[in-house]
Amino acid sequence: MYEFSYHKPSSVADAAQAIGAADDPKILAGGQTLLPTMKQRLASPSDVISLRGCRDLVGISSDGSTVTIGAMTTHAAVASSADVQKAIPALAALAGNIGDAQVRNRGTIGGSLANNDPAADYPAATLALGATIVTTKRELSADAFFTGMFETALEEDEIITAIRFPVPHAAAYAKFDNPASRYALVGVFYAKTSDGPRIAITGAGQGGVFRSTEIEDQIAAGKTPDSSSINESDLNADIHASAAYRKHLIGVMAKRAVAAAG
Amino acid sequence: MSATGIGASVKRKEDFRFLTGRGNYTDDINQPNQTYAYILRSPHAHAKIKGIDTTAAKSAPGVVAVFTGEDMQVGSIPCGWGVNNKDGSPMNEPFHPALAQGKVRHVGDQVAVIIAETYSQAKDAAELIEVDYEELPAVTNSEKAIAPGAPLVHDDAAPNNMCYDWELGDEAEVDAEFKNAAHVVSIDLTNNRLVPNAMEPRAAIGDYNTGTGEYTLYTTSQNPHVIRLLMGAFVLQLPEHKLRVVAPDVGGGFGSKIYHYAEEAIVTWAAGKVRRPIKWTAERSESFLSDAHGRDHISHADLALDADGKFLGLKVYTKANMGAYLSTFSTCVPTYLYATLLAGVYTTPKIYVNVKAIFTNTVPVDAYRGAGRPEATYLLERLVTKAAKQLGMDQVAIRQKNFIPADAFPYQTPVALQYDSGDYEATLKKAMELSKWTEFPKRKAEAASRGKLRGIGISTYVEACGIAPSAVVGSLGARAGLFESANVRVHPTGSVSIYTGSHSHGQGHETTFAQLVSETLGIPLENINIEHGDTNRIAFGMGTYGSRSLAVGGEAIMKALGKVVDKASKIAAHLMEASPEDVEFKDGKFTVAGTDKEVDFGTVALTAYVPHNYPHETLEPGLEENAFYDPMNFTYPGGCHICEVEIDPDTGTTQVVGMTAVDDVGRVINPMIVEGQIHGGLAQGIGQALLEACEYDDNGQLTSGSYMDYCMPRADNLPDFKAATETTLCAHNSLGVKGCGEVGAIGSPPAVINAVLDALHDVGVQDISMPATPQKIWQAIQAAAVLAAAE
Ligand SMILES: Cc1cc2nc3c(=O)[nH]c(=O)nc-3n(C[C@H](O)[C@H](O)[C@H](O)COP(=O)(O)OP(=O)(O)OC[C@H]3O[C@@H](n4cnc5c(N)ncnc54)[C@H](O)[C@@H]3O)c2cc1C
C-alpha cells in the first residue's frame, strides 16, 4: 500500500467537499474491495475519504411499496432486516449469502454497486428489481447505472446515498458459486414486477450484469426459461467455467429462480 | 488406563495458548534494531537477466541495503537425496541459487532482496529496481518438457530437462507375466499439482551477533536442526556452534516447511552484512509462488490379471514434475516414497516402475501431506476399481481376492518394503459396516428420486511412514540419517522437561508426548513440559514429516524415559535399602516386592539433586537422560476409506455426503488427537479430489495464484466424517505405534473419485481427472451424451 491522506467526514456534504478538494480521491465504504486493491498496489489514491462517519448514509426503511437502503448499510444489516425480509425476502437472502460473516459485516450495498464487480450479487438484484440509485447529484435507474464491467454511470465526485427498491410481486435469486471465491459464477435474479418479469444475470457477462429480454419473454409467455438465446461470445471464460458452461448455467439458474419465486 | 496416560483423549495442552492468541510465531518475534526484507521476484517463468540496476533503490527512503545474486555468492541450496538413473549414473543436480544467477526459472524466483527500516519502504524501493530481462519460452508440463525442442530450464546442466530416469524392478520379468495374463487393464491419470497453504505463511528472521560472531535464524520450519545442517554446511558454510536455528510455534506445514528455502539463507547471510536483524514474512501471494508445491504426476499403468481376477503383474510409468529446482526431498518423493508403495495391500508378485523426474518452469515440487504414498494409492485404487469394472467383478471382491492376508506378515513386497503388520480385511469390514455399504442401492434410488446421481467409492491402502531406518534410506540415496533424539530432564521437585527433536506445528505433541511421560512416570500432565524447536536447547533432531514424530521421536522419548526409570530405581533401592532388582516402579511409586516399603518419584528426584543420602560410589547425582532412536523399519498404517457422493447432473456439482475412514495407525495414544489428524487429512484428500487445482498457463503464469481461484476445502464442502481405528501393533517399536498424520490424505482421494465415477457410470462417463470440478463433470456428462447419441 502506498501512502495516502485519510479523511473521515461526518456528513455526505462534507464528504463531497473533501472529494472535490483532493487530487486523486477514492471513497472508502466497507473497504472489502478497495483495501485489498490498494494492498496489491493496483490503486494508489492520494486521498481516501471514508464514509463510515456519515450516519445519514446508514439505514433501511420500507413503506410497503418501496424499500430504501442507505448506501453505507452493510450486507449483514440488509440480511437481518425484518423490513427487507418481509418486503423482498430474495434480497435479504442474497445479502446473507455474500462472502463470509466478516465481509458481510463490513461490505456495503453502496460499495458493491459502485464497484460493479461482474461477479457481484447486488447488481443482479438492483437491475432485476428495477431499483433507483440515488446519488449526491441525481437519481439513476438501474438500467442506466450499470455501464460495463467495473463501470457505472457515476462521476468521479458522485456519491451513492441510497438505493430504492420497488417491492415486486415475487422474486428469487439463484446463484451458482465460483467454487473458490464464492462470488457468482452465474447468478440469476428473477423479479415478477407490475411491468412483467425481469431477469438479470451476473457473473457471466463480459460487460458485467445484464438483462435478458428473451428469457423475460419466455417467462411472460408461461414457458420454462432456457438460455438458448444467450450469445456465448458475450460471456466470460476462465479456469472455472467456459462460456458454454456459463451459458448452460444461466438456463439452469433461471429455471431455479423462477421455480423458487413461485 | 490412567486418565492422562496412553489411550486417554486428553484435551490439547497447547490449545489454550493458540486459541487465545498467545502463540509465539516467527512473525511475532521482534529484535531490537530490526530491519525488514522484501524479496523482488521474477514476473517471468523463464528469462535471462541481462542486468539489474539497483542504484535508485539503494538511495530510496529507509533503505539499508540491496543485494542481488551477484552480491550473494554462496553455495547451492542442497537437495537431500541423490537418486540414480537406470544406468547407475547420478541424477542431474543443477545449481540452486538463493538469489538468481543470470537467469530466472519460474514466476516467483528470487531476484533481489531489499532491506529497509520498514517493510513498506523495502517494497517501495523494490519498484525502483530495474531488471533487464530477456524473456525465454517456458515449459510447465512435464510431458512437454521432455519433448524434443522444449525450452531447457537448466541448459546443459540438465539435458532434455531430465533430472533422472529411474527404475525399480525388472521390466522383462514383468512383461513375461503379462504374456500369461487373461486380462490387462490400463489407466492413464494425472495426480494434480497442489499448493500446500499452511495457515501461517513462511517467515524468517536473520540475526548476527557482532560480539560472538554467532548467527541466529528464526524460521517457520518443521525441522530446525535440518535447516541448520543444510544452510550451515552447504549454503553459508557456518559451523553448528556458530549457527542457532529456532522454529518457534509454527502454524501448519503439511510438508511445505520441511525444506530449506532461499529466504532463510538470504536473511541470515544479509544479517551478517548489514549487522542488524532482518525480518522477512511472506505475503499470501508469495506463498503461492514460493512454497514448494505438491504432487504433479502424469502416469500410465498396466495391470495383468488371471482369469479369476488375481493380480499377476503391474507396470507403472510416471513423469514427476520437479519444478524449476530440486527442493530438499523432491527427488525421493516419486521414487522411494512412491514406487515402493505400488504393491499396495495386494499380493501382486511382479512390479516394474519407471519414473522420470523432470524440470519445468514452475515452483519446485516436494513432499505434501502423504508425499508419494497418495500418488501410489490414487493410481492403484483407481486401477483396481477399473479392473473390477472391466472384468465384471465386484469392486470389494477383487480387492479381497488380492489382499495380503493377515497371517502373511511380515510380508516382503516385490518393491523393496517389508510390511511388519496389518489386517486389511478387518479395516475393510469395519468401514463397510460403518458406511452401511450394503444398503447403498436404497440410498441411490432415493437420491435418483430427487434427480441426483449417487455413487459410492472405496479405497484400501497401505502407506509407509515413521521415516525412517537410517541404514536403509542411506543405501537408497538419503544424504542424512533419519533417527530422532530426546532428552528427559527430571527437575528436583519431580516435574519433567522433555527436549525432543520432533517439531509440533499443529499435531499436538505437547499433549501426546506428555501422555507418554505421564504413563511411564506416573506424574500429572501439568508437571510435564515438552520443549522443541531450538537447536541451542535441543541436543539434536531430524524433525517432523512422514508421520514420524511418535514412531521415531516418541520412541526416543520412551528410550530416555527407560534410562530415567533405571537410574531412579537404583536411587530408590538405595533409599529403601533394597537391591535394585527387587524394586518395582508403578503409578509413580517405587516399592520393594513383598514389603511395605515405598518411595515416590518426587522423593527420588529430590534425592538425585540433594544427594545427601546417595550411592555416590555407583551413581552420579542428577536425573537426566538422553537417547537416540533409529527405527528398524518403516511403519505401515493401512485401512479402508469409503466415500459417497451426490452429483447434480444439471450443474455438475458434487456433494460429498458420506466419508468413512477406518485406519490402522497402530496403538493410539490420544484418540481425540488421532481423529483430528484424520479429519484434517480427509479434508485435504477431498480438497485434492474435488476442489484444489494449481494451474499454470502456457507462459508459465500461475493462474490459480490466490484464493479467488485456488479452491480450498471449507466446512460446507465436507460431510460429517465417520472415522474409526482398527489396530494391529507395529512389530518393531516399543509402543506399537505407526503414524496417523497422513493417512487421511493418502486413502481418500481415490475413494472420492471412485465414488464420482460410480455416480457418473449411469450417464456413461468413464473417466474424470482431479479435481473433479463442476465444470469438468458437466463437460464429461455432455461428452458422454454426445457419444451415446452417435452410437
Ligand atoms: C472475501 C470476500 C468475498 C466476497 N464475496 C462476495 C460475494 O460473494 N458476492 C458479492 O457480491 N460480493 C462479494 N464480495 C465483495 C463485498 O461484498 C463488497 O460488496 C465489495 O467489496 C464492495 O463493498 P465495500 O463496502 O467493501 O466497498 P469499498 O471496497 O470500500 O469500495 C468499493 C468501491 O466503491 C466505491 N464506493 C464505495 N462506496 C461508494 C459510494 N457510496 N458512492 C460511490 N462510490 C462508492 C469506492 O470508492 C471503491 O471504488 C466479497 C469480498 C471479499 C473480500
Side-chain angles (χ1 to χ4, degrees):
Chain A
M1 200 179 278
Y2 300 101
E3 287 188 2
F4 57 85
S5 304
Y6 179 73
H7 309 265
K8 194 177 174 191
S10 52
S11 71
V12 186
D14 291 350
Q17 204 176 4
I19 292 167
D23 214 16
D24 183 13
K26 223 35 176 144
I27 296 167
L28 176 68
Q32 297 303 292
T33 294
L34 183 60
L35 296 183
T37 316
M38 289 170 65
K39 280 189 184 169
Q40 289 174 329
R41 302 185 160 221
L42 299 171
S44 50
S46 64
D47 294 75
V48 169
I49 295 117
S50 169
L51 300 183
R52 280 189 86 80
C54 306
R55 301 309 300 166
D56 44 348
L57 292 180
V58 182
I60 299 170
S61 64
S62 171
D63 64 4
S65 62
T66 308
V67 173
T68 305
I69 302 177
M72 282 299 287
T73 309
T74 62
H75 310 330
V78 173
S80 62
S81 157
D83 282 338
V84 182
Q85 282 170 4
K86 184 156 166 266
I88 320 177
L91 185 62
L94 174 150
N97 195 33
I98 294 176
D100 49 45
Q102 291 89 332
V103 169
R104 292 193 290 276
N105 283 327
R106 301 294 299 196
T108 66
I109 187 167
S112 178
L113 294 180
N115 194 48
N116 193 18
D117 188 308
D121 298 308
Y122 268 132
T126 307
L127 187 58
L129 290 165
T132 301
I133 292 99
V134 185
T135 77
T136 41
K137 299 193 166 177
R138 52 188 164 150
E139 297 192 354
L140 286 150
S141 73
D143 289 289
F145 181 81
F146 301 107
T147 56
M149 184 185 276
F150 292 110
E151 278 172 21
T152 68
L154 286 176
E155 289 166 16
E156 275 284 301
D157 57 348
E158 192 171 10
I159 303 173
I160 301 175
T161 55
I163 298 91
R164 284 206 305 264
F165 292 95
V167 175
H169 301 309
Y173 182 52
K175 174 179 180 178
F176 189 84
D177 288 2
N178 173 319
S181 73
R182 303 227 170 156
Y183 273 80
L185 198 65
V186 168
V188 175
F189 200 104
Y190 162 63
K192 204 166 160 184
T193 75
S194 30
D195 298 335
R198 283 173 68 102
I199 282 275
I201 298 155
T202 188
Q206 285 182 3
V209 66
F210 65 98
R211 274 175 71 187
S212 165
T213 48
E214 289 87 349
I215 297 180
E216 289 171 0
D217 291 344
Q218 287 177 330
I219 299 167
K223 292 188 203 143
T224 307
D226 68 64
S227 57
S228 54
S229 59
I230 304 281
N231 193 345
E232 227 175 86
S233 61
D234 295 336
L235 301 183
N236 288 324
D238 53 34
I239 57 173
H240 305 286
S242 63
Y245 182 45
R246 277 195 165 87
K247 174 172 168 166
H248 167 77
L249 286 175
I250 291 172
V252 178
M253 293 299 123
K255 226 176 284 173
R256 288 183 184 178
V258 171
Chain B
M1 180 180 95
S2 82
T4 57
I6 291 176
S9 279
V10 179
K11 284 207 179 127
R12 303 199 333 162
K13 276 160 62 101
E14 48 270 75
D15 282 349
F16 174 75
R17 114 171 157 268
F18 293 146
L19 296 175
T20 57
R22 289 162 169 94
N24 184 37
Y25 297 89
T26 299
D27 191 57
D28 294 326
I29 295 168
N30 288 299
Q31 303 291 349
N33 211 23
Q34 178 175 289
T35 62
Y36 295 82
Y38 176 75
I39 311 266
L40 181 69
R41 297 181 183 278
S42 170
H44 304 298
H46 198 190
K48 259 191 204 132
I49 298 176
K50 288 166 45 183
I52 307 181
D53 185 350
T54 59
T55 327
K58 278 181 174 148
S59 56
V63 170
V64 175
V66 179
F67 299 110
T68 67
E70 213 168 292
D71 307 306
M72 192 179 175
Q73 295 289 331
V74 296
S76 175
I77 292 175
C79 175
W81 203 301
V83 172
N84 289 341
N85 290 302
K86 280 181 194 172
D87 63 8
S89 61
M91 66 185 190
N92 287 320
E93 203 172 348
F95 193 83
H96 182 175
L99 284 173
Q101 304 280 340
K103 200 174 172 191
V104 286
R105 296 184 176 84
H106 66 90
V107 172
D109 210 351
Q110 307 78 225
V111 173
V113 58
I114 303 91
I115 297 151
E117 299 296 339
T118 70
Y119 180 71
S120 288
Q121 286 173 331
K123 206 170 171 183
D124 287 346
E127 290 181 5
L128 303 174
I129 295 180
E130 279 178 34
V131 186
D132 185 4
Y133 290 110
E134 179 190 325
E135 272 190 75
L136 301 169
V139 64
T140 61
N141 170 288
S142 58
E143 268 178 346
K144 288 184 185 162
I146 50 170
L152 290 178
V153 180
H154 289 281
D155 304 283
D156 296 343
N160 301 320
N161 290 316
M162 196 68 80
C163 173
Y164 56 73
D165 182 354
W166 173 91
E167 68 181 356
L168 182 64
D170 183 334
E171 193 171 19
E173 225 177 72
V174 185
D175 276 335
E177 291 294 333
F178 275 71
K179 295 219 174 70
N180 306 325
H183 307 277
V184 173
V185 179
S186 301
I187 199 163
D188 285 283
L189 40 74
T190 342
N191 203 294
N192 45 327
R193 181 183 274 248
L194 302 167
V195 179
N197 285 304
M199 195 183 292
E200 178 205 25
R202 286 191 298 115
I205 304 171
D207 193 4
Y208 175 69
N209 185 322
T210 50
T212 61
E214 285 166 21
Y215 287 85
T216 303
L217 168 68
Y218 298 88
T219 183
T220 48
S221 175
Q222 302 178 207
N223 31 244
H225 290 84
V226 175
I227 302 304
R228 184 181 66 174
L229 171 75
L230 295 175
M231 182 176 83
F234 296 94
V235 185
L236 301 181
Q237 275 82 47
L238 298 172
E240 287 94 334
H241 67 294
K242 290 291 180 195
L243 174 59
R244 174 184 177 200
V245 178
V246 184
D249 284 334
V250 172
F254 312 112
S256 72
K257 291 172 181 166
I258 300 171
Y259 327 119
H260 172 43
Y261 284 96
E263 294 86 354
E264 295 170 323
I266 292 170
V267 295
T268 307
W269 174 86
K273 298 288 167 208
V274 305
R275 312 220 148 192
R276 289 175 65 182
I278 303 171
K279 179 190 274 189
W280 169 80
T281 305
E283 297 184 12
R284 182 58 68 179
S285 356
E286 271 184 293
S287 305
F288 275 91
L289 296 175
S290 67
D291 290 4
H293 291 172
R295 317 244 153 86
D296 202 339
H297 280 195
I298 301 174
S299 298
H300 172 85
D302 304 304
L303 177 67
L305 303 95
D306 72 10
D308 299 330
K310 191 100 181 140
F311 304 161
L312 300 175
L314 173 69
K315 292 192 288 180
V316 177
Y317 301 86
T318 292
K319 295 175 192 86
N321 194 333
M322 294 284 100
Y325 302 103
L326 295 181
S327 173
T328 309
F329 275 153
S330 56
T331 48
C332 76
V333 175
T335 48
Y336 298 108
L337 295 178
Y338 165 71
T340 52
L341 268 303
L342 284 166
V345 291
Y346 310 113
T347 53
T348 319
K350 300 280 181 206
I351 299 176
Y352 173 78
V353 191
N354 171 237
V355 179
K356 294 183 169 71
I358 297 158
F359 292 106
T360 62
N361 294 112
T362 62
V363 173
V365 180
D366 206 325
Y368 166 72
R369 202 169 193 166
R373 293 97 82 207
E375 294 91 313
T377 304
Y378 182 65
L379 181 136
L380 264 184
E381 293 304 298
R382 286 281 315 272
L383 183 56
V384 169
T385 291
K386 186 172 179 185
K389 281 236 160 71
Q390 197 167 312
L391 271 65
M393 283 180 76
D394 177 76
Q395 55 174 330
V396 172
I398 198 172
R399 288 179 162 84
Q400 287 175 308
K401 184 170 207 77
N402 289 285
F403 273 167
I404 297 162
D407 60 9
F409 295 94
Y411 179 82
Q412 179 64 49
T413 74
V415 274
L417 297 178
Q418 192 184 75
Y419 303 163
D420 64 334
S421 67
D423 187 345
Y424 310 127
E425 277 287 350
T427 45
L428 171 78
K429 191 161 157 271
K430 191 158 181 178
M432 288 177 71
E433 274 165 27
L434 281 178
S435 66
K436 300 198 169 64
W437 176 274
T438 50
E439 289 158 40
F440 173 72
K442 260 195 269 171
R443 299 192 292 275
K444 186 180 168 81
E446 186 279 327
S449 73
R450 288 181 281 110
K452 295 282 165 61
L453 304 169
R454 193 160 172 133
I456 194 162
I458 190 167
S459 124
T460 49
Y461 76 94
V462 63
E463 68 127 330
C465 65
I467 292 170
S470 295
V472 173
V473 296
S475 71
L476 300 179
R479 290 163 176 168
L482 288 171
F483 54 85
E484 197 47 275
S485 100
N487 172 282
V488 177
R489 181 175 298 167
V490 181
H491 302 294
T493 59
S495 66
V496 172
S497 294
I498 302 287
Y499 298 84
T500 169
S502 297
H503 187 282
S504 186
H505 30 279
Q507 297 88 341
H509 295 173
E510 291 172 41
T511 307
T512 304
F513 288 173
Q515 286 179 254
L516 300 180
V517 181
S518 178
E519 174 84 27
T520 311
L521 300 182
I523 61 173
L525 288 182
E526 54 270 25
N527 290 2
I528 305 158
N529 228 24
I530 308 297
E531 310 271 345
H532 65 90
D534 183 342
T535 59
N536 270 20
R537 286 161 66 215
I538 316 299
F540 205 80
M542 293 308 297
T544 288
Y545 38 82
S547 302
R548 71 193 297 274
S549 295
L550 185 59
V552 189
E555 283 293 326
I557 293 172
M558 291 306 290
K559 235 176 123 178
L561 283 170
K563 293 185 189 176
V564 163
V565 171
D566 267 1
K567 182 169 177 185
S569 299
K570 287 180 188 147
I571 300 171
H574 176 84
L575 291 178
M576 294 186 288
E577 295 172 337
S579 113
E581 303 84 71
D582 298 335
V583 172
E584 278 176 21
F585 181 55
K586 203 166 163 262
D587 299 331
K589 288 197 175 62
F590 296 90
T591 51
V592 181
T595 74
D596 59 358
K597 286 182 183 172
E598 176 180 307
V599 50
D600 65 19
F601 183 73
T603 306
V604 170
L606 189 67
T607 306
Y609 289 96
V610 187
H612 295 164
N613 173 18
Y614 199 80
H616 286 289
E617 321 71 54
T618 52
L619 277 185
E620 296 169 16
L623 194 51
E624 172 167 357
E625 297 290 347
N626 285 313
F628 282 73
Y629 174 79
D630 204 316
M632 267 137 42
N633 192 351
F634 292 86
T635 59
Y636 298 97
C640 176
H641 291 185
I642 294 175
C643 177
E644 219 165 305
V645 300
E646 274 188 18
I647 294 175
D648 175 355
D650 291 339
T651 61
T653 309
T654 301
Q655 190 67 37
V656 180
V657 291
M659 188 76 222
T660 303
V662 177
D663 300 294
D664 174 2
V665 299
R667 190 187 307 286
V668 173
I669 308 298
N670 183 320
M672 181 197 69
I673 288 181
V674 167
E675 193 174 346
Q677 287 291 309
I678 289 174
H679 283 199
L682 292 176
Q684 282 173 310
I686 292 170
Q688 163 155 39
L690 296 178
L691 309 168
E692 300 186 42
C694 176
E695 289 183 16
Y696 283 93
D697 69 13
D698 289 341
N699 298 321
Q701 296 291 334
L702 186 63
T703 50
S704 52
S706 84
Y707 295 132
M708 293 298 281
D709 292 306
Y710 189 88
C711 185
M712 290 292 285
R714 277 168 262 194
D716 63 355
N717 296 123
L718 309 170
D720 271 344
F721 296 131
K722 288 196 190 113
T725 53
E726 182 68 43
T727 304
T728 63
L729 295 179
C730 169
H732 58 81
N733 62 38
S734 76
L735 288 163
V737 297
K738 296 184 177 179
C740 69
E742 297 164 288
V743 293
I746 292 169
S748 58
V752 178
I753 295 298
N754 284 338
V756 167
L757 287 174
D758 186 50
L760 295 176
H761 181 74
D762 296 344
V763 291
V765 175
Q766 316 256 346
D767 188 27
I768 199 92
S769 65
M770 296 195 292
T773 60
Q775 160 161 263
K776 266 191 212 162
I777 289 179
W778 178 75
Q779 285 170 339
I781 294 173
Q782 301 308 303
V786 169
L787 210 67
E791 280 164 7

